[in-house]
mmCIF file of all heavy atoms in Angstrom:
data_model
loop_
_atom_site.group_PDB
_atom_site.id
_atom_site.type_symbol
_atom_site.label_atom_id
_atom_site.label_comp_id
_atom_site.label_asym_id
_atom_site.label_seq_id
_atom_site.Cartn_x
_atom_site.Cartn_y
_atom_site.Cartn_z
ATOM 1 N N ASP A 1 67.926 16.860 -91.679
ATOM 2 C CA ASP A 1 67.854 18.295 -91.413
ATOM 3 C C ASP A 1 67.648 18.512 -89.914
ATOM 4 O O ASP A 1 66.632 18.107 -89.352
ATOM 5 C CB ASP A 1 66.698 18.899 -92.219
ATOM 6 C CG ASP A 1 66.670 20.416 -92.141
ATOM 7 O OD1 ASP A 1 67.105 20.963 -91.112
ATOM 8 O OD2 ASP A 1 66.197 21.051 -93.103
ATOM 9 N N HIS A 2 68.614 19.147 -89.266
ATOM 10 C CA HIS A 2 68.543 19.359 -87.803
ATOM 11 C C HIS A 2 67.289 20.142 -87.427
ATOM 12 O O HIS A 2 66.617 19.830 -86.439
ATOM 13 C CB HIS A 2 69.789 20.109 -87.324
ATOM 14 C CG HIS A 2 69.771 20.391 -85.859
ATOM 15 N ND1 HIS A 2 69.925 19.400 -84.912
ATOM 16 C CD2 HIS A 2 69.583 21.547 -85.168
ATOM 17 C CE1 HIS A 2 69.854 19.941 -83.699
ATOM 18 N NE2 HIS A 2 69.649 21.237 -83.825
ATOM 19 N N GLU A 3 66.961 21.132 -88.240
ATOM 20 C CA GLU A 3 65.774 21.946 -87.941
ATOM 21 C C GLU A 3 64.518 21.088 -87.968
ATOM 22 O O GLU A 3 63.628 21.236 -87.139
ATOM 23 C CB GLU A 3 65.661 23.084 -88.970
ATOM 24 C CG GLU A 3 64.532 24.051 -88.667
ATOM 25 C CD GLU A 3 64.447 25.160 -89.707
ATOM 26 O OE1 GLU A 3 65.404 25.335 -90.475
ATOM 27 O OE2 GLU A 3 63.405 25.835 -89.736
ATOM 28 N N PHE A 4 64.452 20.145 -88.919
ATOM 29 C CA PHE A 4 63.279 19.253 -89.010
ATOM 30 C C PHE A 4 63.138 18.418 -87.737
ATOM 31 O O PHE A 4 62.050 18.197 -87.251
ATOM 32 C CB PHE A 4 63.406 18.335 -90.229
ATOM 33 C CG PHE A 4 62.433 17.191 -90.215
ATOM 34 C CD1 PHE A 4 61.092 17.416 -90.513
ATOM 35 C CD2 PHE A 4 62.839 15.918 -89.890
ATOM 36 C CE1 PHE A 4 60.186 16.373 -90.476
ATOM 37 C CE2 PHE A 4 61.929 14.876 -89.859
ATOM 38 C CZ PHE A 4 60.609 15.104 -90.154
ATOM 39 N N MET A 5 64.256 17.975 -87.197
ATOM 40 C CA MET A 5 64.205 17.127 -86.010
ATOM 41 C C MET A 5 63.763 17.914 -84.785
ATOM 42 O O MET A 5 63.273 17.341 -83.817
ATOM 43 C CB MET A 5 65.576 16.497 -85.747
ATOM 44 C CG MET A 5 66.109 15.642 -86.892
ATOM 45 S SD MET A 5 64.952 14.343 -87.387
ATOM 46 C CE MET A 5 65.048 13.270 -85.963
ATOM 47 N N GLN A 6 63.943 19.223 -84.796
ATOM 48 C CA GLN A 6 63.647 20.042 -83.626
ATOM 49 C C GLN A 6 62.210 20.555 -83.588
ATOM 50 O O GLN A 6 61.706 20.925 -82.560
ATOM 51 C CB GLN A 6 64.607 21.243 -83.552
ATOM 52 C CG GLN A 6 66.059 20.837 -83.378
ATOM 53 C CD GLN A 6 66.275 19.985 -82.139
ATOM 54 O OE1 GLN A 6 65.781 20.307 -81.061
ATOM 55 N NE2 GLN A 6 66.991 18.874 -82.285
ATOM 56 N N GLN A 7 61.549 20.607 -84.736
ATOM 57 C CA GLN A 7 60.200 21.161 -84.753
ATOM 58 C C GLN A 7 59.376 20.527 -85.867
ATOM 59 O O GLN A 7 59.931 19.926 -86.776
ATOM 60 C CB GLN A 7 60.260 22.677 -84.979
ATOM 61 C CG GLN A 7 60.913 23.092 -86.277
ATOM 62 C CD GLN A 7 61.060 24.582 -86.374
ATOM 63 O OE1 GLN A 7 60.755 25.311 -85.454
ATOM 64 N NE2 GLN A 7 61.527 25.053 -87.518
ATOM 65 N N PRO A 8 58.037 20.625 -85.790
ATOM 66 C CA PRO A 8 57.198 20.032 -86.823
ATOM 67 C C PRO A 8 57.535 20.640 -88.189
ATOM 68 O O PRO A 8 57.706 21.847 -88.309
ATOM 69 C CB PRO A 8 55.776 20.399 -86.396
ATOM 70 C CG PRO A 8 55.883 20.760 -84.961
ATOM 71 C CD PRO A 8 57.260 21.312 -84.765
ATOM 72 N N TRP A 9 57.622 19.793 -89.170
ATOM 73 C CA TRP A 9 57.900 20.265 -90.527
ATOM 74 C C TRP A 9 56.621 20.791 -91.161
ATOM 75 O O TRP A 9 55.538 20.256 -90.933
ATOM 76 C CB TRP A 9 58.480 19.110 -91.359
ATOM 77 C CG TRP A 9 58.822 19.467 -92.755
ATOM 78 C CD1 TRP A 9 59.714 20.416 -93.164
ATOM 79 C CD2 TRP A 9 58.281 18.900 -93.938
ATOM 80 N NE1 TRP A 9 59.771 20.456 -94.526
ATOM 81 C CE2 TRP A 9 58.889 19.535 -95.031
ATOM 82 C CE3 TRP A 9 57.330 17.907 -94.183
ATOM 83 C CZ2 TRP A 9 58.598 19.227 -96.343
ATOM 84 C CZ3 TRP A 9 57.046 17.586 -95.495
ATOM 85 C CH2 TRP A 9 57.672 18.248 -96.557
ATOM 86 N N THR A 10 56.718 21.850 -91.964
ATOM 87 C CA THR A 10 55.513 22.475 -92.510
ATOM 88 C C THR A 10 54.775 21.557 -93.470
ATOM 89 O O THR A 10 53.616 21.767 -93.754
ATOM 90 C CB THR A 10 55.863 23.783 -93.235
ATOM 91 O OG1 THR A 10 56.877 23.511 -94.212
ATOM 92 C CG2 THR A 10 56.367 24.819 -92.258
ATOM 93 N N GLY A 11 55.456 20.514 -93.973
ATOM 94 C CA GLY A 11 54.783 19.552 -94.839
ATOM 95 C C GLY A 11 53.735 18.738 -94.110
ATOM 96 O O GLY A 11 52.912 18.072 -94.724
ATOM 97 N N PHE A 12 53.770 18.758 -92.793
ATOM 98 C CA PHE A 12 52.784 18.031 -91.989
ATOM 99 C C PHE A 12 51.683 18.961 -91.499
ATOM 100 O O PHE A 12 51.004 18.671 -90.534
ATOM 101 C CB PHE A 12 53.469 17.338 -90.807
ATOM 102 C CG PHE A 12 54.200 16.087 -91.201
ATOM 103 C CD1 PHE A 12 55.486 16.142 -91.703
ATOM 104 C CD2 PHE A 12 53.582 14.848 -91.104
ATOM 105 C CE1 PHE A 12 56.164 15.000 -92.087
ATOM 106 C CE2 PHE A 12 54.242 13.699 -91.494
ATOM 107 C CZ PHE A 12 55.542 13.774 -91.980
ATOM 108 N N THR A 13 51.514 20.082 -92.165
ATOM 109 C CA THR A 13 50.482 21.049 -91.811
ATOM 110 C C THR A 13 49.572 21.314 -93.001
ATOM 111 O O THR A 13 50.045 21.475 -94.120
ATOM 112 C CB THR A 13 51.123 22.386 -91.360
ATOM 113 O OG1 THR A 13 51.967 22.140 -90.244
ATOM 114 C CG2 THR A 13 50.063 23.392 -90.970
ATOM 115 N N VAL A 14 48.269 21.354 -92.752
ATOM 116 C CA VAL A 14 47.285 21.696 -93.784
ATOM 117 C C VAL A 14 46.531 22.931 -93.300
ATOM 118 O O VAL A 14 46.165 23.026 -92.123
ATOM 119 C CB VAL A 14 46.316 20.527 -94.035
ATOM 120 C CG1 VAL A 14 45.152 20.953 -94.905
ATOM 121 C CG2 VAL A 14 47.042 19.356 -94.674
ATOM 122 N N GLN A 15 46.329 23.881 -94.188
ATOM 123 C CA GLN A 15 45.576 25.097 -93.864
ATOM 124 C C GLN A 15 44.238 25.066 -94.600
ATOM 125 O O GLN A 15 44.192 24.748 -95.798
ATOM 126 C CB GLN A 15 46.372 26.334 -94.269
ATOM 127 C CG GLN A 15 47.685 26.464 -93.522
ATOM 128 C CD GLN A 15 48.563 27.586 -94.059
ATOM 129 O OE1 GLN A 15 48.501 27.938 -95.221
ATOM 130 N NE2 GLN A 15 49.392 28.138 -93.193
ATOM 131 N N ILE A 16 43.171 25.397 -93.886
ATOM 132 C CA ILE A 16 41.814 25.364 -94.445
ATOM 133 C C ILE A 16 41.097 26.662 -94.099
ATOM 134 O O ILE A 16 40.984 27.006 -92.916
ATOM 135 C CB ILE A 16 41.009 24.175 -93.886
ATOM 136 C CG1 ILE A 16 41.740 22.850 -94.140
ATOM 137 C CG2 ILE A 16 39.606 24.143 -94.493
ATOM 138 C CD1 ILE A 16 41.146 21.657 -93.401
ATOM 139 N N SER A 17 40.611 27.361 -95.109
ATOM 140 C CA SER A 17 39.864 28.593 -94.879
ATOM 141 C C SER A 17 38.401 28.387 -95.230
ATOM 142 O O SER A 17 38.078 27.754 -96.244
ATOM 143 C CB SER A 17 40.446 29.726 -95.734
ATOM 144 O OG SER A 17 39.647 30.884 -95.629
ATOM 145 N N PHE A 18 37.512 28.922 -94.400
ATOM 146 C CA PHE A 18 36.079 28.860 -94.675
ATOM 147 C C PHE A 18 35.663 30.043 -95.545
ATOM 148 O O PHE A 18 36.023 31.185 -95.261
ATOM 149 C CB PHE A 18 35.271 28.892 -93.372
ATOM 150 C CG PHE A 18 35.475 27.691 -92.493
ATOM 151 C CD1 PHE A 18 36.308 27.750 -91.386
ATOM 152 C CD2 PHE A 18 34.837 26.484 -92.768
ATOM 153 C CE1 PHE A 18 36.496 26.653 -90.564
ATOM 154 C CE2 PHE A 18 35.018 25.367 -91.955
ATOM 155 C CZ PHE A 18 35.856 25.453 -90.851
ATOM 156 N N VAL A 19 34.939 29.777 -96.609
ATOM 157 C CA VAL A 19 34.265 30.779 -97.451
ATOM 158 C C VAL A 19 35.224 31.621 -98.304
ATOM 159 O O VAL A 19 34.994 31.810 -99.498
ATOM 160 C CB VAL A 19 33.342 31.718 -96.626
ATOM 161 C CG1 VAL A 19 32.556 32.654 -97.543
ATOM 162 C CG2 VAL A 19 32.384 30.920 -95.743
ATOM 163 N N LYS A 20 36.286 32.154 -97.724
ATOM 164 C CA LYS A 20 37.193 33.063 -98.423
ATOM 165 C C LYS A 20 38.501 32.374 -98.810
ATOM 166 O O LYS A 20 39.122 31.694 -97.993
ATOM 167 C CB LYS A 20 37.505 34.297 -97.563
ATOM 168 C CG LYS A 20 36.275 35.111 -97.170
ATOM 169 C CD LYS A 20 35.624 35.762 -98.374
ATOM 170 C CE LYS A 20 34.450 36.648 -97.963
ATOM 171 N NZ LYS A 20 33.785 37.256 -99.121
ATOM 172 N N GLY A 21 38.953 32.602 -100.046
ATOM 173 C CA GLY A 21 40.213 32.045 -100.513
ATOM 174 C C GLY A 21 41.357 33.023 -100.319
ATOM 175 O O GLY A 21 41.158 34.179 -99.950
ATOM 176 N N TRP A 22 42.573 32.541 -100.585
ATOM 177 C CA TRP A 22 43.751 33.402 -100.484
ATOM 178 C C TRP A 22 44.778 32.965 -101.519
ATOM 179 O O TRP A 22 44.656 31.920 -102.138
ATOM 180 C CB TRP A 22 44.334 33.365 -99.066
ATOM 181 C CG TRP A 22 45.186 32.162 -98.756
ATOM 182 C CD1 TRP A 22 46.546 32.069 -98.788
ATOM 183 C CD2 TRP A 22 44.727 30.855 -98.352
ATOM 184 N NE1 TRP A 22 46.967 30.817 -98.437
ATOM 185 C CE2 TRP A 22 45.876 30.052 -98.164
ATOM 186 C CE3 TRP A 22 43.463 30.296 -98.135
ATOM 187 C CZ2 TRP A 22 45.787 28.704 -97.776
ATOM 188 C CZ3 TRP A 22 43.382 28.965 -97.755
ATOM 189 C CH2 TRP A 22 44.536 28.184 -97.572
ATOM 190 N N GLY A 23 45.785 33.787 -101.708
ATOM 191 C CA GLY A 23 46.832 33.460 -102.668
ATOM 192 C C GLY A 23 46.813 34.386 -103.868
ATOM 193 O O GLY A 23 46.174 35.434 -103.863
ATOM 194 N N GLN A 24 47.525 33.980 -104.919
ATOM 195 C CA GLN A 24 47.728 34.817 -106.084
ATOM 196 C C GLN A 24 46.430 35.200 -106.788
ATOM 197 O O GLN A 24 46.322 36.251 -107.395
ATOM 198 C CB GLN A 24 48.639 34.090 -107.070
ATOM 199 C CG GLN A 24 49.346 34.995 -108.055
ATOM 200 C CD GLN A 24 50.421 34.242 -108.820
ATOM 201 O OE1 GLN A 24 50.384 33.029 -108.922
ATOM 202 N NE2 GLN A 24 51.386 34.968 -109.347
ATOM 203 N N CYS A 25 45.434 34.322 -106.683
ATOM 204 C CA CYS A 25 44.169 34.564 -107.391
ATOM 205 C C CYS A 25 43.200 35.441 -106.601
ATOM 206 O O CYS A 25 42.094 35.721 -107.075
ATOM 207 C CB CYS A 25 43.487 33.233 -107.695
ATOM 208 S SG CYS A 25 44.598 31.959 -108.274
ATOM 209 N N TYR A 26 43.569 35.828 -105.396
ATOM 210 C CA TYR A 26 42.641 36.547 -104.520
ATOM 211 C C TYR A 26 43.276 37.824 -103.981
ATOM 212 O O TYR A 26 44.486 38.001 -104.048
ATOM 213 C CB TYR A 26 42.222 35.646 -103.339
ATOM 214 C CG TYR A 26 41.528 34.385 -103.793
ATOM 215 C CD1 TYR A 26 42.266 33.232 -104.050
ATOM 216 C CD2 TYR A 26 40.147 34.333 -103.979
ATOM 217 C CE1 TYR A 26 41.651 32.062 -104.483
ATOM 218 C CE2 TYR A 26 39.519 33.173 -104.401
ATOM 219 C CZ TYR A 26 40.274 32.042 -104.658
ATOM 220 O OH TYR A 26 39.655 30.900 -105.092
ATOM 221 N N THR A 27 42.433 38.677 -103.428
ATOM 222 C CA THR A 27 42.961 39.917 -102.850
ATOM 223 C C THR A 27 43.775 39.613 -101.594
ATOM 224 O O THR A 27 44.707 40.340 -101.268
ATOM 225 C CB THR A 27 41.806 40.886 -102.494
ATOM 226 O OG1 THR A 27 40.879 40.202 -101.640
ATOM 227 C CG2 THR A 27 41.099 41.361 -103.750
ATOM 228 N N ARG A 28 43.426 38.539 -100.886
ATOM 229 C CA ARG A 28 44.194 38.134 -99.705
ATOM 230 C C ARG A 28 45.375 37.276 -100.155
ATOM 231 O O ARG A 28 45.194 36.220 -100.734
ATOM 232 C CB ARG A 28 43.302 37.334 -98.745
ATOM 233 C CG ARG A 28 42.148 38.123 -98.182
ATOM 234 C CD ARG A 28 41.142 37.226 -97.462
ATOM 235 N NE ARG A 28 40.021 38.014 -97.006
ATOM 236 C CZ ARG A 28 38.988 38.325 -97.764
ATOM 237 N NH1 ARG A 28 38.935 37.921 -99.023
ATOM 238 N NH2 ARG A 28 37.993 39.053 -97.288
ATOM 239 N N GLN A 29 46.582 37.716 -99.840
ATOM 240 C CA GLN A 29 47.767 36.966 -100.257
ATOM 241 C C GLN A 29 48.129 35.858 -99.262
ATOM 242 O O GLN A 29 48.683 34.842 -99.648
ATOM 243 C CB GLN A 29 48.956 37.919 -100.412
ATOM 244 C CG GLN A 29 48.826 38.840 -101.612
ATOM 245 C CD GLN A 29 48.702 38.066 -102.917
ATOM 246 O OE1 GLN A 29 49.615 37.346 -103.311
ATOM 247 N NE2 GLN A 29 47.564 38.184 -103.578
ATOM 248 N N PHE A 30 47.800 36.056 -97.996
ATOM 249 C CA PHE A 30 48.166 35.092 -96.957
ATOM 250 C C PHE A 30 46.920 34.631 -96.220
ATOM 251 O O PHE A 30 45.958 35.385 -96.060
ATOM 252 C CB PHE A 30 49.158 35.710 -95.969
ATOM 253 C CG PHE A 30 50.408 36.203 -96.629
ATOM 254 C CD1 PHE A 30 50.598 37.564 -96.835
ATOM 255 C CD2 PHE A 30 51.384 35.317 -97.046
ATOM 256 C CE1 PHE A 30 51.754 38.026 -97.451
ATOM 257 C CE2 PHE A 30 52.538 35.773 -97.664
ATOM 258 C CZ PHE A 30 52.726 37.126 -97.869
ATOM 259 N N ILE A 31 46.968 33.401 -95.713
ATOM 260 C CA ILE A 31 45.798 32.869 -95.018
ATOM 261 C C ILE A 31 45.494 33.662 -93.749
ATOM 262 O O ILE A 31 44.359 33.716 -93.288
ATOM 263 C CB ILE A 31 45.969 31.370 -94.686
ATOM 264 C CG1 ILE A 31 44.610 30.767 -94.281
ATOM 265 C CG2 ILE A 31 47.055 31.151 -93.639
ATOM 266 C CD1 ILE A 31 44.572 29.273 -94.220
ATOM 267 N N SER A 32 46.506 34.333 -93.190
ATOM 268 C CA SER A 32 46.274 35.122 -91.971
ATOM 269 C C SER A 32 45.399 36.340 -92.234
ATOM 270 O O SER A 32 45.013 37.039 -91.307
ATOM 271 C CB SER A 32 47.607 35.555 -91.360
ATOM 272 O OG SER A 32 48.381 36.257 -92.306
ATOM 273 N N SER A 33 45.090 36.603 -93.510
ATOM 274 C CA SER A 33 44.143 37.679 -93.837
ATOM 275 C C SER A 33 42.731 37.134 -93.989
ATOM 276 O O SER A 33 41.790 37.913 -94.165
ATOM 277 C CB SER A 33 44.558 38.358 -95.150
ATOM 278 O OG SER A 33 45.844 38.916 -95.030
ATOM 279 N N CYS A 34 42.576 35.815 -93.939
ATOM 280 C CA CYS A 34 41.237 35.216 -94.072
ATOM 281 C C CYS A 34 40.486 35.333 -92.750
ATOM 282 O O CYS A 34 41.084 35.215 -91.678
ATOM 283 C CB CYS A 34 41.356 33.739 -94.484
ATOM 284 S SG CYS A 34 41.996 33.512 -96.149
ATOM 285 N N PRO A 35 39.171 35.544 -92.814
ATOM 286 C CA PRO A 35 38.382 35.769 -91.593
ATOM 287 C C PRO A 35 38.378 34.571 -90.640
ATOM 288 O O PRO A 35 38.563 34.745 -89.440
ATOM 289 C CB PRO A 35 36.976 36.041 -92.122
ATOM 290 C CG PRO A 35 37.160 36.431 -93.557
ATOM 291 C CD PRO A 35 38.361 35.710 -94.038
ATOM 292 N N CYS A 36 38.135 33.369 -91.155
ATOM 293 C CA CYS A 36 38.019 32.182 -90.307
ATOM 294 C C CYS A 36 38.743 31.010 -90.964
ATOM 295 O O CYS A 36 38.390 30.619 -92.075
ATOM 296 C CB CYS A 36 36.546 31.801 -90.103
ATOM 297 S SG CYS A 36 35.527 33.119 -89.380
ATOM 298 N N TRP A 37 39.735 30.474 -90.278
ATOM 299 C CA TRP A 37 40.495 29.388 -90.892
ATOM 300 C C TRP A 37 41.047 28.426 -89.851
ATOM 301 O O TRP A 37 41.061 28.717 -88.662
ATOM 302 C CB TRP A 37 41.602 29.939 -91.777
ATOM 303 C CG TRP A 37 42.590 30.873 -91.136
ATOM 304 C CD1 TRP A 37 42.395 32.208 -90.834
ATOM 305 C CD2 TRP A 37 43.927 30.568 -90.718
ATOM 306 N NE1 TRP A 37 43.537 32.739 -90.268
ATOM 307 C CE2 TRP A 37 44.491 31.767 -90.194
ATOM 308 C CE3 TRP A 37 44.703 29.414 -90.757
ATOM 309 C CZ2 TRP A 37 45.792 31.820 -89.702
ATOM 310 C CZ3 TRP A 37 46.008 29.471 -90.270
ATOM 311 C CH2 TRP A 37 46.531 30.661 -89.754
ATOM 312 N N LEU A 38 41.490 27.272 -90.342
ATOM 313 C CA LEU A 38 42.003 26.214 -89.482
ATOM 314 C C LEU A 38 43.425 25.859 -89.883
ATOM 315 O O LEU A 38 43.792 25.915 -91.054
ATOM 316 C CB LEU A 38 41.153 24.942 -89.611
ATOM 317 C CG LEU A 38 39.675 25.044 -89.291
ATOM 318 C CD1 LEU A 38 38.965 23.765 -89.739
ATOM 319 C CD2 LEU A 38 39.457 25.270 -87.797
ATOM 320 N N GLU A 39 44.203 25.481 -88.897
ATOM 321 C CA GLU A 39 45.533 24.931 -89.115
ATOM 322 C C GLU A 39 45.491 23.518 -88.533
ATOM 323 O O GLU A 39 45.231 23.336 -87.352
ATOM 324 C CB GLU A 39 46.559 25.800 -88.390
ATOM 325 C CG GLU A 39 47.991 25.408 -88.621
ATOM 326 C CD GLU A 39 48.945 26.382 -87.917
ATOM 327 O OE1 GLU A 39 48.576 26.958 -86.884
ATOM 328 O OE2 GLU A 39 50.053 26.547 -88.431
ATOM 329 N N VAL A 40 45.715 22.510 -89.381
ATOM 330 C CA VAL A 40 45.698 21.111 -88.948
ATOM 331 C C VAL A 40 47.139 20.607 -88.991
ATOM 332 O O VAL A 40 47.758 20.592 -90.055
ATOM 333 C CB VAL A 40 44.797 20.242 -89.849
ATOM 334 C CG1 VAL A 40 44.708 18.823 -89.301
ATOM 335 C CG2 VAL A 40 43.404 20.850 -89.975
ATOM 336 N N ILE A 41 47.666 20.215 -87.837
ATOM 337 C CA ILE A 41 49.069 19.795 -87.728
ATOM 338 C C ILE A 41 49.104 18.310 -87.389
ATOM 339 O O ILE A 41 48.588 17.885 -86.349
ATOM 340 C CB ILE A 41 49.803 20.622 -86.647
ATOM 341 C CG1 ILE A 41 49.626 22.120 -86.923
ATOM 342 C CG2 ILE A 41 51.281 20.259 -86.611
ATOM 343 C CD1 ILE A 41 49.878 22.995 -85.735
ATOM 344 N N PHE A 42 49.703 17.532 -88.301
ATOM 345 C CA PHE A 42 49.698 16.078 -88.146
ATOM 346 C C PHE A 42 50.869 15.578 -87.333
ATOM 347 O O PHE A 42 51.970 16.135 -87.397
ATOM 348 C CB PHE A 42 49.675 15.408 -89.535
ATOM 349 C CG PHE A 42 48.467 15.774 -90.326
ATOM 350 C CD1 PHE A 42 48.533 16.758 -91.308
ATOM 351 C CD2 PHE A 42 47.249 15.171 -90.075
ATOM 352 C CE1 PHE A 42 47.412 17.123 -92.026
ATOM 353 C CE2 PHE A 42 46.112 15.539 -90.792
ATOM 354 C CZ PHE A 42 46.197 16.520 -91.768
ATOM 355 N N ASN A 43 50.626 14.520 -86.571
ATOM 356 C CA ASN A 43 51.660 13.897 -85.763
ATOM 357 C C ASN A 43 52.603 13.158 -86.691
ATOM 358 O O ASN A 43 52.201 12.183 -87.337
ATOM 359 C CB ASN A 43 51.015 12.939 -84.762
ATOM 360 C CG ASN A 43 51.992 12.420 -83.730
ATOM 361 O OD1 ASN A 43 53.206 12.511 -83.912
ATOM 362 N ND2 ASN A 43 51.468 11.858 -82.656
ATOM 363 N N ASN A 44 53.851 13.576 -86.775
ATOM 364 C CA ASN A 44 54.790 12.953 -87.703
ATOM 365 C C ASN A 44 55.764 12.018 -87.003
ATOM 366 O O ASN A 44 56.773 11.635 -87.575
ATOM 367 C CB ASN A 44 55.573 14.024 -88.475
ATOM 368 C CG ASN A 44 56.354 14.957 -87.569
ATOM 369 O OD1 ASN A 44 56.148 14.959 -86.371
ATOM 370 N ND2 ASN A 44 57.237 15.750 -88.136
ATOM 371 N N ARG A 45 55.464 11.648 -85.772
ATOM 372 C CA ARG A 45 56.361 10.752 -85.032
ATOM 373 C C ARG A 45 55.942 9.311 -85.214
ATOM 374 O O ARG A 45 54.776 9.017 -85.220
ATOM 375 C CB ARG A 45 56.370 11.118 -83.536
ATOM 376 C CG ARG A 45 56.733 12.547 -83.254
ATOM 377 C CD ARG A 45 58.098 12.899 -83.807
ATOM 378 N NE ARG A 45 58.509 14.228 -83.378
ATOM 379 C CZ ARG A 45 59.427 14.932 -84.005
ATOM 380 N NH1 ARG A 45 60.010 14.475 -85.100
ATOM 381 N NH2 ARG A 45 59.785 16.125 -83.557
#
């Protein structure tokens, strides 16, 4: 996949939210609505 070669693939990313959850089971649908969260991007090279 040309796009994969040009940028980090989302499979190498983990999202972590403190205290508040998100998704279908919560009022927040996206992690960007969570108050405090982390994005961990792994080196895939």
Side-chain angles (χ1 to χ4, degrees):
D1 187 330
H2 178 71
E3 185 180 345
F4 167 75
M5 301 305 290
Q6 297 303 314
Q7 60 185 5
W9 181 60
T10 54
F12 283 84
T13 301
V14 170
Q15 298 172 332
I16 304 170
S17 174
F18 295 101
V19 186
K20 301 294 184 182
W22 80 97
Q24 201 169 22
C25 317
Y26 300 90
T27 55
R28 297 169 183 83
Q29 290 301 297
F30 302 104
I31 194 168
S32 56
S33 300
C34 292
C36 303
W37 57 282
L38 302 169
E39 185 177 29
V40 185
I41 306 160
F42 300 99
N43 189 343
N44 59 348
R45 304 302 187 201

